[in-house]
Amino acid sequence: EESIMSKTLSKKEVLGIITSDKGSVEDKLRLFLIYYLSNPEKFKPTELKQCLTSLEDVGCDTRPFHYLQKIKAFNENWAANIKTDKTDSLGILHKYKAAVNKIVATGLNYLVPKNKDLYVTSVLDALMESKPLLGTESYLYFDPKFPANSTPRITSFKESIVFMVGGGNYIEYLNIKQKMTQENKRVIYGATQMLTADKFLAQLSFLSEPTLD
């Protein structure tokens, strides 16, 4: 994974790993997903088909790839539509698009971070220190010490609770913990589910199935 992020792993090497005896089928699929999402422009249709066929030959469930491919195409189309619409009524969507682009710009470093704050860590740090950060302008602030309809005085905090509605993961938890420990802050991290790599792939497979009305 680190070789992928540093751009030192080639398509030929990825294909070699897929067809080798190294690692589990889940490892091979996860490796391919990270490589493809990091370098989608490097794949010709024939090369992509070859990789998917090789994955299926070793027993991989390729449904997660097809689901991520659909999500990627949807996001690209949505971003293109927003870009062409310059009306003031879409101002908030432009802000949201800018925030999304900020996340995407970090690439898949989210999966293999190297001494870098994840987006959720940056948001948490900005909120706890009352620092400006794109995407946090609409966050609500409640303080029981202030009367209703008054403007509370936002101060910095040393303790907080972060709860992810949906899947959380250990990379996110450790990244937050490392940052907050350095700043002598205490944070409790929770989530609806703590996903392992295998559980994440299983969820992608489940999401790829058509829904019933």
Side-chain angles (χ1 to χ4, degrees):
E1 291 174 358
E2 293 186 3
S3 297
I4 293 175
M5 303 312 301
S6 59
K7 307 295 183 181
T8 60
L9 197 66
S10 67
K11 286 184 294 185
K12 184 177 180 180
E13 289 174 308
V14 171
L15 187 59
I17 294 173
I18 290 173
T19 56
S20 71
D21 295 330
K22 297 179 180 178
S24 65
V25 292
E26 290 80 9
D27 291 335
K28 296 176 189 291
L29 177 59
R30 191 162 55 91
L31 177 70
F32 172 72
L33 291 177
I34 294 174
Y35 187 83
Y36 174 76
L37 292 174
S38 300
N39 311 276
E41 71 286 348
K42 290 186 177 181
F43 283 88
K44 298 178 181 177
T46 53
E47 294 173 328
L48 184 58
K49 184 177 180 180
Q50 181 185 9
C51 287
L52 291 174
T53 299
S54 297
L55 286 168
E56 291 170 349
D57 288 344
V58 298
C60 288
D61 177 6
T62 56
R63 287 179 298 171
F65 166 77
H66 294 296
Y67 178 74
L68 289 178
Q69 194 176 41
K70 288 180 181 178
I71 295 298
K72 181 175 178 296
F74 173 81
N75 288 339
E76 290 174 349
N77 290 336
W78 179 82
N81 291 335
I82 293 299
K83 186 176 181 180
T84 58
D85 195 324
K86 302 297 184 180
T87 61
D88 293 337
S89 62
L90 289 178
I92 185 143
L93 290 181
H94 284 295
K95 290 183 180 180
Y96 179 70
K97 176 179 175 289
V100 171
N101 286 341
K102 180 178 176 63
I103 301 172
V104 173
T106 64
L108 289 178
N109 286 323
Y110 193 95
L111 299 177
V112 194
K114 287 185 177 180
N115 300 322
K116 187 172 183 179
D117 293 343
L118 301 182
Y119 184 69
V120 64
T121 305
S122 298
V123 169
L124 179 62
D125 183 55
L127 293 175
M128 293 185 71
E129 290 295 328
S130 301
K131 296 187 294 188
L133 180 67
L134 185 63
T136 62
E137 302 93 340
S138 60
Y139 277 59
L140 299 179
Y141 183 89
F142 300 99
D143 193 329
K145 297 190 298 295
F146 286 85
N149 301 321
S150 66
T151 302
R153 181 173 56 87
I154 302 177
T155 59
S156 60
F157 302 91
K158 288 294 184 181
E159 296 182 340
S160 66
I161 298 174
V162 178
F163 190 86
M164 309 301 292
V165 179
N169 60 76
Y170 291 102
I171 292 178
E172 197 169 65
Y173 161 70
L174 291 174
N175 191 258
I176 290 174
K177 182 179 179 181
Q178 181 182 33
K179 174 74 172 181
M180 297 302 129
T181 299
Q182 292 173 351
E183 299 183 358
N184 295 317
K185 296 175 182 176
R186 182 171 177 265
V187 175
I188 298 174
Y189 177 90
T192 308
Q193 296 180 29
M194 291 294 286
L195 298 178
T196 63
D198 291 347
K199 287 182 179 179
F200 178 64
L201 291 177
Q203 283 204 353
L204 291 179
S205 294
F206 174 77
L207 291 171
S208 70
E209 295 296 322
T211 57
L212 298 177
D213 293 333

